[in-house]
Amino acid sequence: MARCLATAAAAVAVVVLLICDSARSDASDHRYKSGDPVPLYANKVGPFHNPSETYRYFDLPFCAPAEVKEKREALGEVLNGDRLVSAPYKLDFLVDKDSKVICKKQLTKEDTAKFRDAVFKDYYFQMYYDDLPIWGFVGKVDKEGKSDPSEYKYFLYKHIHFDIFYNKDRVIEINVRTDPIALVDITEDKEVEVEFLYTVKWKETTISFENRMDQYSQLSSLPHHLEIHWFSIINSCVTVLLLTGFLATILMRVLKNDFVKYAHDEETAEDQEETGWKYIHGDVFRFPKHKSLLAAALGSGTHTLFIFLLSLVGVFYPYNRGALFTALVVIYALTSGIAGYVATSFYFQLEGTNWVRNLLLTGCLFCGPLFLTFCFLNTVAIAYNATAALPFGTIVVIVLIWMLVTSPLLVLGGIAGKNSKKDFQAPCRTTKYPREIPPSPWYRGALPQMAMAGFLPFSAIYIELYYIFASVWGHRIYTIYSILFIVFIILIIVTAFITVALTYFQLAAEDHEWWWRSFLCGGSTGLFIYGYCLYYYHARSDMSGFMQTSFFFGFSAIDQQADYVLTTVMAWLLLRFTSPPDFVTTHL
């Protein structure tokens, strides 16, 4: 055991050091003297409304430097689709330039057609200057006074202005704007001679280097009127809390009536046949079917919940290029032992025997669908020659992380769970043969109960979903974590409460197969969120094309799988302490 732990620890250290080392920037101290070269990298281009469909910067026939150098990128940058190369612009520290010529280029008919298609699809470009992101558009479409699309005029921007702000020896801010007068008409398929220019202006500012990222909050999902956003969140929360309170009142009244009824029955007729949840006290703790799958799902959900809690406390810094994806990969790998421990421990409590199969199922429950989705989406990205296609070396690194870090820690967690020796402490004896479940109305079925269980939590978070989607599937940065935390707490309370209530009503209907029903109801909010994905794609976004559609719904499906097991675990944590089956036994 000690040797296994040492091997796993060494593998973790090597992988983390490799990842962190590749994330270092060229100018780590970000301090420069007058005339010093400041690193500027061209990253990618792509349709503005299709954030996943991006291509290399020089896939368009821009002016290229004499030698195009590719920057060594971190794992998170590659996963984010970044492909940084040296840019043709020279923005030396404190050196102004006025209408500097980059190159004179003769565009062929094919080049003109490429630029025209890029302008038609609203292409933007992205660069990084001293690790500060900058964006700009390739050109514009002149639609003024023209109703027929065939009459539209397409223009290419040929002059870019860089306004750079500095504080002493540090770069604080950079803005890019295009000259609306310096345009090249590319409407027709013909050869065009273009002189590409750029202008650089340096300006002093009092903003400190530590606060230089605050400007990007203006581009974040923070609404212009924050009070309106808070009001909407509070209104949604109050509505949900009122509904929850109404449900709690009904539940407590029903429980009180049940207690009075059963107490009266015991006094008047001890030999009277039992009914309701008292009738099934010998079946309520009967172990469920497919207990290995249930234990694996709970282990995977606990793992996801732990990662989400880390994101709430600010582990994932949103501004650092590629840091989010790097942190997700590393933290998922380092915390995989949580899934192994919870799954195996719960599996043994359910008197399972094949713990190795349970551990394999736990490891594949989330990674399996993710791997299949990745294979499909990566194939699509390769067909499109997009930057979203992962290089072979990156795929090897991820496989090595899974083999050398995730899997060993998962096994170690499983061994710890196996040796925890926790027995299932049922408060009453389970009968040898299960009782027959009486027929129930249609609204007590699994699907209607799941719809009811998912609607209330979804109504608490649907307002915030728009801003989250605008960040994930747009060009905004999510920064309002205080509101996200409040919504998360409301989601926990409502999900857990509605699951407890529905479980009680199921037991009151003499249906003792509550294990899987509570699991399905607890995670049904994820199904509503995926339904919101359909609404967002068609009504709130301008995304189009097979590649973007595939990426949106593919990764949304994986995300909703994580949301499903996440909300299920939150509901089960409350069921563990206020379990309706305990009502069946403790009040007999």
Side-chain angles (χ1 to χ4, degrees):
M1 177 65 71
R3 183 174 297 178
C4 292
L5 287 172
T7 304
V12 170
V14 170
V15 173
V16 172
L17 285 175
L18 287 174
I19 293 174
C20 295
D21 179 69
S22 62
R24 295 175 181 172
S25 61
D26 298 88
S28 56
D29 58 351
H30 299 279
R31 295 183 180 275
Y32 308 97
K33 298 178 181 179
S34 180
D36 284 351
V38 183
L40 173 65
Y41 292 100
N43 188 13
K44 53 191 176 183
V45 295
F48 182 77
H49 299 293
N50 291 353
S52 299
E53 185 183 347
T54 56
Y55 306 94
R56 294 179 179 271
Y57 182 81
F58 289 113
D59 283 352
L60 291 180
F62 289 113
C63 290
E67 183 181 359
V68 178
K69 298 181 180 179
E70 295 187 0
K71 180 183 179 297
R72 184 186 178 188
E73 295 169 324
L75 175 63
E77 294 174 322
V78 179
L79 294 176
N80 194 41
D82 293 340
R83 303 293 185 269
L84 275 67
V85 296
S86 54
Y89 309 98
K90 302 298 180 183
L91 310 183
D92 297 333
F93 192 69
L94 298 182
V95 177
D96 289 342
K97 295 181 180 180
D98 187 18
S99 300
K100 177 72 174 181
V101 177
I102 308 174
C103 72
K104 292 183 179 179
K105 189 166 186 177
Q106 185 75 22
L107 298 181
T108 64
K109 293 181 179 180
E110 292 77 12
D111 294 339
T112 304
K114 281 185 178 181
F115 273 126
R116 185 175 63 251
D117 183 63
V119 173
F120 173 75
K121 294 180 179 179
D122 220 9
Y123 266 48
Y124 72 97
F125 63 84
Q126 184 189 50
M127 299 182 185
Y128 281 96
Y129 183 68
D130 193 40
D131 288 338
L132 293 173
I134 51 179
W135 299 271
F137 285 97
V138 174
K140 73 171 187 176
V141 182
D142 183 13
K143 303 179 181 179
E144 186 176 355
K146 303 175 181 65
S147 57
D148 188 357
S150 62
E151 299 178 354
Y152 292 167
K153 293 288 187 179
Y154 299 90
F155 296 97
L156 174 68
Y157 293 127
K158 67 174 184 177
H159 193 174
I160 296 179
H161 293 260
F162 295 95
D163 296 320
I164 310 174
F165 297 84
Y166 70 97
N167 186 348
K168 297 180 180 178
D169 58 350
R170 293 178 179 269
V171 177
I172 304 300
E173 181 181 348
I174 179 170
N175 296 319
V176 174
R177 53 189 176 88
T178 51
D179 191 339
I181 301 177
L183 302 172
V184 178
D185 190 348
I186 53 174
T187 306
E188 300 179 2
D189 283 336
K190 62 180 182 180
E191 295 185 356
V192 180
E193 185 177 4
V194 182
E195 185 179 56
F196 290 97
L197 311 168
Y198 71 103
T199 296
V200 183
K201 297 295 182 183
W202 286 85
K203 303 176 183 178
E204 191 171 7
T205 182
T206 57
I207 300 175
S208 64
F209 179 80
E210 291 72 18
N211 298 324
R212 71 172 187 166
M213 287 297 181
D214 292 348
Q215 59 166 322
Y216 295 101
S217 296
Q218 301 174 3
L219 302 174
S220 70
S221 55
L222 188 67
H224 295 293
H225 302 286
L226 188 59
E227 296 81 3
I228 298 177
H229 187 67
W230 274 106
F231 178 78
S232 300
I233 292 295
I234 294 173
N235 180 63
S236 177
C237 294
V238 168
T239 303
V240 171
L241 290 177
L242 288 176
L243 292 174
T244 305
F246 179 70
L247 185 59
T249 302
I250 295 177
L251 180 60
M252 297 307 298
R253 181 170 298 181
V254 171
L255 278 173
K256 182 179 180 180
N257 293 336
D258 284 348
F259 294 152
V260 172
K261 174 185 174 183
Y262 294 143
H264 181 265
D265 290 343
E266 290 177 357
E267 294 175 358
T268 58
E270 295 184 359
D271 59 344
Q272 184 177 355
E273 184 179 0
E274 295 175 332
T275 58
W277 46 260
K278 190 176 181 180
Y279 179 69
I280 59 172
H281 68 274
D283 296 277
V284 70
F285 288 107
R286 189 178 305 279
F287 293 149
K289 301 176 182 178
H290 312 296
K291 53 190 175 184
S292 180
L293 178 60
L294 180 62
L298 290 178
S300 179
T302 306
H303 188 196
T304 306
L305 176 61
F306 183 79
I307 295 175
F308 187 78
L309 291 176
L310 288 178
S311 68
L312 287 179
V313 299
V315 171
F316 304 130
Y317 183 59
Y319 300 120
N320 194 356
R321 183 179 66 247
L324 175 62
F325 288 100
T326 301
L328 280 175
V329 172
V330 172
I331 292 178
Y332 180 86
L334 296 180
T335 58
S336 59
I338 296 175
Y341 177 83
V342 173
T344 307
S345 175
F346 186 71
Y347 181 65
F348 271 97
Q349 290 184 47
L350 299 181
E351 298 180 359
T353 56
N354 195 345
W355 69 278
V356 176
R357 185 182 65 178
N358 172 253
L359 205 57
L360 291 175
L361 184 60
T362 304
C364 297
L365 191 62
F366 181 77
C367 292
L370 177 62
F371 175 75
L372 295 177
T373 304
F374 161 75
C375 290
F376 171 72
L377 296 181
N378 202 58
T379 302
V380 173
I382 291 174
Y384 274 74
N385 197 26
T387 60
L390 296 187
F392 178 75
T394 303
I395 297 176
V396 171
V397 170
I398 295 176
V399 171
L400 288 176
I401 292 175
W402 186 81
M403 293 176 58
L404 300 179
V405 182
T406 305
S407 297
L409 292 179
L410 181 69
V411 173
L412 291 177
I415 295 174
K418 175 178 177 293
N419 296 330
S420 62
K421 303 296 183 183
K422 291 184 178 180
D423 296 327
F424 187 77
Q425 301 293 336
C428 65
R429 185 178 61 86
T430 302
T431 58
K432 186 175 182 180
Y433 299 103
R435 293 183 181 271
E436 183 180 357
I437 299 175
S440 59
W442 65 269
Y443 56 83
R444 288 188 181 273
L447 291 179
Q449 297 285 297
M450 289 174 62
M452 185 183 303
F455 176 74
L456 272 178
F458 175 76
S459 64
I461 65 174
Y462 81 96
I463 294 178
E464 200 63 23
L465 281 179
Y466 169 75
Y467 300 102
I468 296 175
F469 274 59
S471 174
V472 176
W473 299 105
H475 303 279
R476 297 182 176 183
I477 300 174
Y478 194 90
T479 56
I480 43 180
Y481 293 103
S482 57
I483 295 179
L484 179 63
F485 179 74
I486 294 174
V487 171
F488 179 68
I489 296 299
I490 294 293
L491 176 64
I492 292 176
I493 296 174
V494 178
T495 301
F497 189 89
I498 194 69
T499 303
V500 170
L502 291 176
T503 303
Y504 168 76
F505 289 129
Q506 180 183 355
L507 296 175
E510 302 179 10
D511 184 354
H512 55 80
E513 295 181 348
W514 62 274
W515 297 84
W516 275 107
R517 180 71 65 83
S518 63
F519 179 88
L520 295 174
C521 290
S524 57
T525 306
L527 301 179
F528 278 83
I529 297 177
Y530 197 74
Y532 182 84
C533 292
L534 298 172
Y535 165 76
Y536 181 85
Y537 180 85
H538 290 287
R540 304 302 296 270
S541 74
D542 295 315
M543 292 184 283
S544 61
F546 178 74
M547 177 180 173
Q548 182 61 42
T549 304
S550 300
F551 270 73
F552 179 80
F553 288 106
F555 282 124
S556 294
I558 295 298
D559 180 62
Q560 300 329 308
Q561 179 192 359
D563 291 340
Y564 197 104
V565 294
L566 171 66
T567 52
T568 297
V569 165
M570 292 189 298
W572 271 58
L573 288 176
L574 187 60
L575 275 171
R576 186 178 181 87
F577 298 104
T578 59
S579 178
D582 288 343
F583 291 141
V584 179
T585 57
T586 57
H587 294 91
L588 292 180

